[in-house]
Amino acid sequence: MRWRGRKHEDFQAELEAHLQLEAEALRAEGLSEEDARATSRQALGNRTIAEERFYESRSWMPAQHLLRDLRFAIRTFRKEPKFSLLTVLGLALGIAVSTALFAFVSASTQIRGFGVRPTDDVLHPETYVSINRNNNVGDFSAPELRYLQEHSVRIAELTAESEPASLVLGTPTASAEAEEILARFESPNFLSVRGFHPALGDSFSDEETRAPLAVLSHSFWHRRFGGDPGVIGQTILLNNHAVTIIGVADPRFHTADTADLFLPIDFEPLLPANTGLMLNARLRPGTGLAQAQTEFQALTASFAEGSPGALLPAGPPNQSAVRVTVFPDDVPPEASRQRAEAVFAIDLAIAMILLIACSNLASLLLARASVRRRELGVRLSLGASRARLISQLLTESLLLAVTGGLLGVLLSTWLARWLLASLPYLDRRPDRHVLFCGLLLSLVTGVSFGLGPALAVTKTNLAQALHSGGTAGTEASTIKVGSRRNLLVVVPLALSLMLLIGAVLLIRAAQSGGLRTSFDSSHLIGLGFRLKDQGYDDTRAESFREELRDRFRVLPGVASVAFTDDSPLFAGSCQIKTAQVARSASVCHRVSPQFFSTVDLRILRGRPFTSADRAGSARVAIVSQSFADTFLIGREPLGATLETVTGSFFEVVGVTADVFRDSHTGPIPGFPSVYIPASQDAAYVLAGGRNLHPMEILVRASADPSIVAAELRQIIRAADPSLWVSIQSFDDYLSRFTNNAHVAIFIFGVLGALVLLLAAAGIYALLAYSVSRRTREIGIRMALGARNREILWLIMRRTLILIAWGIACGLTGAIALSRILAAVVFKTPPPDVPTSIAVALVLAATSLLASYLPARKALRVNPVETLHCD
Amino acid sequence: MATQDPGRINLLQGTLDLLILRTLLFGPQHGQGVARAIQRQSEDVLLVDHGTLYPALQRLESKGWIEAEWGTSANNRRARFYKITPAGRKQLMQETGQWRKLATAIGRVLGPEGG
């Protein structure tokens, strides 16, 4: 329509024409020139109002108002950069952290969340179940799988997989370093049963259950091959067997799994002996769990009856005890409950952060609005409507919120990447929903928390607003800690204290690994090999190890070298018979004579092993203090006789210290350990010829362990570049226990700092507000001779009390939090006094600074000006 | 505001639109002409506040009931001429009917003159 584009000038011209026409008509009626003009003008009335009405009748008025409001808001914010920055940053951080956490939660809940395959039948969705027997999931054999597949009517599809098996991955050309990987053996339908497809290439076909083929997991494909599509058709070496890569699995498959690649279920060269299978099934639509369970029970029972024992290599010992239970999805109920709890806790944290961030924004806005009460009063009295003022204030809060929100979303993508990087199995693509959620949050924040202050401030009594520059400063002299405004300070302070103390505790627990050894673990390096898997026979492996030992020994940074069958911290258990105890559960190590000096494990009594303790000489053993205390009660340990399950006898020649001294949570029971010279046919006498752990090499470094480790690796690569080797200092070993703590540390630390910032902003706003309201009172007091110190005390007294309250509540909360942490998540020590005091001091200093800044303003009040002003 | 002549009546809210449309039924007219015509036809009983006339014209134009175009008046002055549109005619018919009904009803309630 044409009128939309009508210009103001056009309208003015029309009014002008009207005046002239009217004047002419009046002249024609006989009025004088002057009278005619005056009368015509009079008849038109207030021309400005007419023009204004025209102006407002145009449809794009709201848009223009918005533009004007925006321009005005930007101008105001430029005038108060500190306030604007504080608000935007506070909100940005709040939104960033909550959005990142939301992304984190949403990504973690997607783990194995694909229980149901898309189906047309909405009423009877297909259920994906896992089957276990005696609460043991990996307990089925291949023939049993086939029997179930053939005979079941309730299942649409049955699929089987093995527990992950550890293999050594090499490449034919040895271009990349060898690596230890985990593989699962899968039935051909392992992807399709849940509606997944290979992301690249193919999956196994039904005929290829024995073929040397591999499907890579999506994450492993990215990690090892950099997501190169050319990987299809390549040959890799798994435990020295050539295997061809035929595909890459769907990224959603087994996201929480550690398996790096998948192999056909009957690929025997690599399949470990006696591997039990885990069964998963997709039930036919409409089949209930109970029905399925009944059928599985009947089928496994009939299989056990009808099948010859030869088909059951790893059959359960007691067939009559077979029980099949079915539960939805393959997340054990316990795990899903824990996950739900964790998600709930994080959600709660998100809500709390957002709430604090929002209420802070509200209090900042309120504080600022009350400072502007006078300005608003003037505008109201000049005829601005309340609606226009509210929309102006809302525009300002929305502008702040959206700026903060955009910044927050930007920050959050970075934060989320950081968080998710700690969980390598998660899909890390940025989630549009999450970003949208962040922006929506900021908008809602802006409206809901800008509206309150806007309504409150514009509901002002004009006369009062103009008269006294705000209501008279009758701040309550009694301090009610429970009031809403005060809670805004106390709650974030307490929360922040709790979180920061929690973070410090977690960091310390992670640093120490929770466990403390009785020897120096930082300079002890362990080297593990998979020689047998990589084609070395026993003789070659032994001579290789000896060659390495001789080369290591001469390195300048190496103090000593020893052999052991496993890390001194962990080893397979064995049964030892003593005079007092028929079967002692203890830990057995086969060690070389240098073991005790290399580990630095003190011999408390008796003697260490010597080179004289070899095959053919008298069999000797060294026991740990805890072994002597537990199994040789009241006996002189030296000279006592030990008997193994194979009927060999040992004489105890020494007693050594326990490996672990204590943990952060207090003393821990030692591992009763027995050490036997590796040279005395120990493999045979301990286990009767069964497979034992291969030997590892221990190196005690006298120089920087990381440099020494690099030198060791170089020597090994020079000897055989295709070998897989793990070189790890014992500190790293120990830190494995608390490896996953760093996510929690990060969350606690960032949240703590953020909440502290918010608390500081809250204090700042609160004080700025009260100073602005009490300017008059301060002026009077100054005029009456109050000193700076007294004014400061007057202003800050209330804040000091609030800070004290916050710290008291926070310390109480921290004790509770540490109890929960220690019980549920990690081995954390209880909060000690120095930590708590340090964190509390940081908090107090920050909040004092936040309260001093606005309080200083009070000192600059000019009494004369204040009193003159009204 | 215009002078309060006891013989003249200020227009009721909403009736101005009706009168403008009715006036324009006789042909295109400019704002001043419309005001004069209303006054003349009501035999100087109805008083048109010239200041409210233009917002009303604006409103009608935005509703699409009238159209406007710059033209030349009888005495050779440039003026903005308004013309009723078909939609405006329809609206006028409707409102006239309603107005008549209302006037009759109110007349009945008030009873015979001087009663």
Side-chain angles (χ1 to χ4, degrees):
Chain A
M1 274 183 268
R2 271 189 315 153
W3 65 272
R4 269 185 206 278
R6 203 172 164 201
K7 288 226 173 67
H8 189 212
E9 291 77 46
D10 191 81
F11 185 69
Q12 278 180 319
E14 186 178 12
L15 288 185
E16 197 53 47
H18 172 96
L19 287 177
Q20 285 171 359
L21 283 166
E22 181 71 13
E24 256 167 45
L26 288 171
R27 262 202 310 278
E29 284 166 16
L31 263 74
S32 73
E33 174 80 31
E34 220 141 273
D35 282 352
R37 217 177 278 164
T39 314
S40 71
R41 221 172 268 142
Q42 205 185 2
L44 186 60
N46 189 334
R47 193 170 156 180
T48 320
I49 287 183
E51 283 183 25
E52 215 162 70
R53 280 204 202 139
F54 162 76
Y55 194 71
E56 287 186 359
S57 72
R58 290 190 291 186
S59 74
W60 46 284
M61 260 332 273
Q64 221 195 1
H65 278 167
L66 184 71
L67 263 181
R68 256 199 300 179
D69 286 352
L70 271 179
R71 238 179 282 147
F72 185 76
I74 291 170
R75 246 195 345 254
T76 339
F77 292 146
R78 264 211 218 126
K79 262 193 282 175
E80 300 172 42
K82 234 192 299 170
F83 164 83
S84 321
L85 207 69
L86 203 65
T87 321
V88 168
L89 275 187
L91 200 62
L93 279 175
I95 287 184
V97 170
S98 38
T99 313
L101 280 180
F102 179 73
F104 184 71
V105 170
S106 102
S108 353
T109 48
Q110 274 166 20
I111 301 173
R112 293 192 161 207
F114 297 83
V116 179
R117 200 166 110 126
T119 163
D120 295 334
D121 192 348
V122 187
L123 280 178
H124 304 288
E126 295 177 330
T127 320
Y128 189 74
V129 297
S130 159
I131 305 154
N132 69 30
R133 176 156 49 196
N134 301 332
N135 286 323
N136 189 356
V137 278
D139 197 32
F140 294 88
S141 64
E144 204 169 6
L145 163 70
R146 256 164 253 133
Y147 183 82
L148 284 172
Q149 268 172 335
E150 277 166 27
H151 292 86
S152 173
V153 288
R154 299 284 183 202
I155 45 174
E157 218 172 336
L158 190 65
T159 180
E161 64 182 6
S162 72
E163 291 278 4
S166 144
L167 304 170
V168 176
L169 168 78
T171 47
T173 54
S175 56
E177 212 156 293
E179 188 180 341
E180 190 174 40
I181 56 121
L182 291 175
R184 277 185 193 270
F185 295 85
E186 300 275 359
S187 56
N189 58 353
F190 76 115
L191 282 178
S192 58
V193 70
R194 303 180 90 174
F196 293 147
H197 301 283
L200 200 69
D202 292 313
S203 180
F204 312 124
S205 74
D206 285 342
E207 295 78 43
E208 290 170 335
T209 59
R210 288 168 194 281
L213 303 173
V215 171
L216 305 180
S217 83
H218 200 267
S219 58
F220 180 67
W221 176 52
H222 270 280
R223 182 166 63 76
R224 170 87 188 197
F225 298 97
D228 174 21
V231 79
I232 305 296
Q234 272 186 28
T235 303
I236 51 174
L237 280 181
L238 287 176
N239 279 10
N240 240 13
H241 289 275
V243 169
T244 308
I245 299 171
I246 58 162
V248 175
D250 190 297
R252 293 168 299 174
F253 180 71
H254 271 351
T255 38
D257 201 5
T258 42
D260 298 305
L261 51 81
F262 309 102
L263 297 166
I265 196 158
D266 295 326
F267 185 45
E268 271 164 7
L270 291 180
L271 192 66
N274 302 334
T275 300
L277 294 177
M278 304 193 279
L279 296 190
N280 295 313
R282 189 160 54 79
L283 301 183
R284 286 196 193 287
T287 302
L289 292 186
Q291 288 172 300
Q293 176 157 336
T294 313
E295 192 198 47
F296 282 133
Q297 266 165 348
L299 283 179
T300 46
S302 71
F303 173 76
E305 278 168 24
S307 63
L311 275 176
L312 264 176
N318 188 357
Q319 286 289 340
S320 61
V322 169
R323 233 178 46 236
V324 179
T325 51
V326 183
F327 51 78
D329 210 332
D330 49 358
V331 179
E334 182 61 15
S336 65
R337 192 181 58 83
Q338 281 176 354
R339 203 174 67 188
E341 278 174 6
V343 166
F344 177 73
I346 296 183
D347 280 343
L348 206 68
I350 294 176
M352 238 143 102
I353 296 161
L354 264 186
L355 201 70
I356 292 175
C358 290
S359 45
N360 252 297
L361 177 72
S363 81
L364 277 171
L365 286 173
L366 192 62
R368 193 161 150 280
S370 56
V371 172
R372 292 171 65 191
R373 199 174 279 259
R374 208 185 159 87
E375 173 208 328
L376 295 175
V378 169
R379 293 181 60 185
L380 271 175
S381 72
L382 286 181
S385 67
R386 192 170 165 218
R388 281 287 295 116
L389 278 191
I390 288 175
S391 81
Q392 163 72 43
L393 289 175
L394 259 187
T395 311
E396 286 176 16
S397 65
L398 266 179
L399 184 70
L400 283 178
V402 170
T403 318
L406 280 175
L407 208 66
V409 166
L410 271 179
L411 264 176
S412 79
T413 51
W414 174 80
L415 257 181
R417 204 168 299 155
W418 203 95
L419 270 179
L420 297 188
S422 62
L423 300 174
Y425 46 79
L426 289 183
D427 189 7
R428 235 169 292 159
R429 279 169 300 183
D431 190 344
R432 253 178 302 144
H433 300 286
V434 173
L435 298 188
F436 178 72
C437 162
L439 276 180
L440 193 74
L441 277 179
S442 57
L443 273 179
V444 170
T445 309
V447 174
S448 54
F449 288 86
L451 200 60
L455 285 177
V457 171
T458 51
K459 203 162 62 188
T460 182
N461 182 332
L462 266 191
Q464 204 186 12
L466 292 176
H467 182 70
S468 58
T471 45
T474 47
E475 199 93 337
S477 49
T478 50
I479 295 157
K480 258 175 65 195
V481 179
S483 86
R484 203 169 59 97
R485 200 173 283 275
N486 292 345
L487 282 182
L488 270 181
V489 172
V490 173
V491 170
L493 263 183
L495 260 182
S496 153
L497 189 64
M498 277 168 65
L499 290 169
L500 287 176
I501 289 182
V504 171
L505 293 182
L506 283 176
I507 289 169
R508 292 215 327 225
Q511 272 173 347
S512 60
L515 291 169
R516 283 193 288 225
T517 52
S518 58
F519 54 86
D520 169 22
S521 56
S522 63
H523 281 70
L524 186 61
I525 301 169
L527 292 89
F529 299 93
R530 301 280 300 257
L531 293 176
K532 207 170 174 186
D533 290 333
Q534 293 198 276
Y536 280 56
D537 60 27
D538 287 347
T539 350
R540 193 173 157 212
E542 197 178 332
S543 65
F544 179 73
R545 273 193 295 264
E546 273 163 12
E547 184 193 331
L548 285 184
R549 179 190 58 191
D550 295 340
R551 287 199 199 174
F552 289 168
R553 239 190 262 177
V554 296
L555 284 176
V558 171
S560 78
V561 182
F563 293 143
T564 173
D565 61 350
D566 210 335
S567 147
L569 303 183
F570 321 99
S573 63
C574 58
Q575 305 286 345
I576 297 285
K577 204 163 140 190
T578 67
Q580 282 85 10
V581 185
R583 297 179 83 182
S584 68
S586 46
V587 178
C588 293
H589 289 277
R590 296 173 290 139
V591 300
S592 70
Q594 297 83 10
F595 177 81
F596 298 100
S597 59
T598 306
V599 175
D600 198 18
L601 213 51
R602 273 182 307 131
I603 301 289
L604 302 173
R605 304 182 59 194
R607 65 172 178 87
F609 297 137
T610 64
S611 49
D613 298 316
R614 57 171 174 268
S617 69
R619 291 201 165 113
V620 291
I622 292 176
V623 297
S624 69
Q625 182 68 55
S626 56
F627 186 94
D629 292 347
T630 320
F631 301 121
L632 298 169
I633 317 146
R635 277 279 303 260
E636 168 57 43
L638 294 184
T641 308
L642 308 179
E643 187 185 347
T644 66
V645 280
T646 52
S648 311
F649 291 92
F650 291 85
E651 190 197 335
V652 176
V653 295
V655 178
T656 179
D658 277 313
V659 168
F660 289 113
R661 201 176 45 171
D662 57 7
S663 76
H664 262 292
T665 46
I668 54 163
F671 293 175
S673 308
V674 175
Y675 301 93
I676 287 165
S679 50
Q680 290 193 324
D681 301 328
Y684 175 74
V685 296
L686 276 180
R690 267 208 291 142
N691 274 343
L692 281 174
H693 284 273
M695 294 302 270
E696 295 190 350
I697 303 180
L698 292 175
V699 172
R700 164 68 58 182
S702 54
D704 183 348
S706 58
I707 296 173
V708 174
E711 285 173 345
L712 299 181
R713 188 178 290 276
Q714 223 172 349
I715 291 176
I716 295 163
R717 281 199 74 103
D720 184 347
S722 70
L723 275 192
W724 173 84
V725 58
S726 106
I727 303 182
Q728 217 174 12
S729 96
F730 272 68
D731 266 2
D732 295 340
Y733 249 137
L734 288 170
S735 70
R736 265 193 196 169
F737 292 110
T738 42
N739 224 0
N740 50 353
H742 78 265
V743 177
I745 292 169
F746 174 76
I747 293 178
F748 274 63
V750 167
L751 286 191
L754 173 78
V755 177
L756 175 61
L757 200 73
L758 290 175
I763 292 171
Y764 184 91
L766 182 78
L767 266 198
Y769 177 72
S770 93
V771 166
S772 75
R773 288 188 69 144
R774 296 171 74 178
T775 312
R776 211 175 133 86
E777 181 199 339
I778 294 167
I780 293 173
R781 281 175 190 265
M782 283 180 121
L784 292 178
R787 267 172 287 168
N788 278 0
R789 208 154 34 104
E790 285 159 357
I791 300 285
L792 266 187
W793 172 243
L794 176 76
I795 296 295
M796 287 174 69
R797 189 177 52 141
R798 175 167 136 174
T799 326
L800 291 182
I801 292 173
L802 291 184
I803 292 172
W805 266 99
I807 288 178
C809 294
L811 285 178
T812 321
I815 293 170
L817 180 72
S818 76
R819 292 251 169 86
I820 295 169
L821 276 180
V824 183
V825 201
F826 308 101
K827 289 201 163 104
T828 50
D832 53 331
V833 180
T835 309
S836 313
I837 289 180
V839 176
L841 277 181
V842 169
L843 232 74
T846 316
S847 20
L848 275 181
L849 184 71
S851 63
Y852 177 68
L853 290 178
R856 220 180 32 174
K857 239 184 210 163
L859 298 181
R860 287 201 230 109
V861 167
N862 183 344
V864 181
E865 215 173 81
T866 328
L867 296 177
H868 261 204
C869 194
D870 302 314
Chain B
M1 278 279 132
T3 45
Q4 289 297 306
D5 189 327
R8 289 181 164 185
I9 301 170
N10 273 322
L11 283 174
L12 281 171
Q13 186 87 38
T15 50
L16 182 59
D17 291 8
L18 188 65
L19 294 178
I20 293 172
L21 288 176
R22 172 75 192 165
T23 311
L24 291 179
L25 208 53
F26 303 114
Q29 187 59 274
H30 48 70
Q32 189 258 350
V34 171
R36 283 263 159 173
I38 292 174
Q39 245 163 292
R40 205 170 48 239
Q41 282 168 18
S42 67
E43 286 158 358
D44 283 340
V45 172
L46 293 181
L47 175 81
V48 179
D49 178 355
H50 293 186
T52 58
L53 176 68
Y54 286 94
L57 285 169
Q58 196 66 40
R59 197 166 53 239
L60 291 176
E61 200 181 343
S62 76
K63 283 179 181 160
W65 292 337
I66 58 175
E67 289 172 345
E69 209 171 25
W70 283 93
T72 323
S73 73
N75 40 10
N76 247 357
R77 284 209 177 273
R78 256 177 67 76
R80 206 159 183 263
F81 279 81
Y82 294 90
K83 196 173 83 182
I84 191 161
T85 64
R89 273 172 213 277
K90 215 167 135 193
Q91 178 69 18
L92 177 64
M93 301 278 283
Q94 219 173 3
E95 288 203 8
T96 312
Q98 276 177 3
W99 179 255
R100 292 234 161 91
K101 258 188 233 163
L102 184 68
T104 324
I106 290 177
R108 282 209 196 102
V109 173
L110 294 180
E113 200 140 342

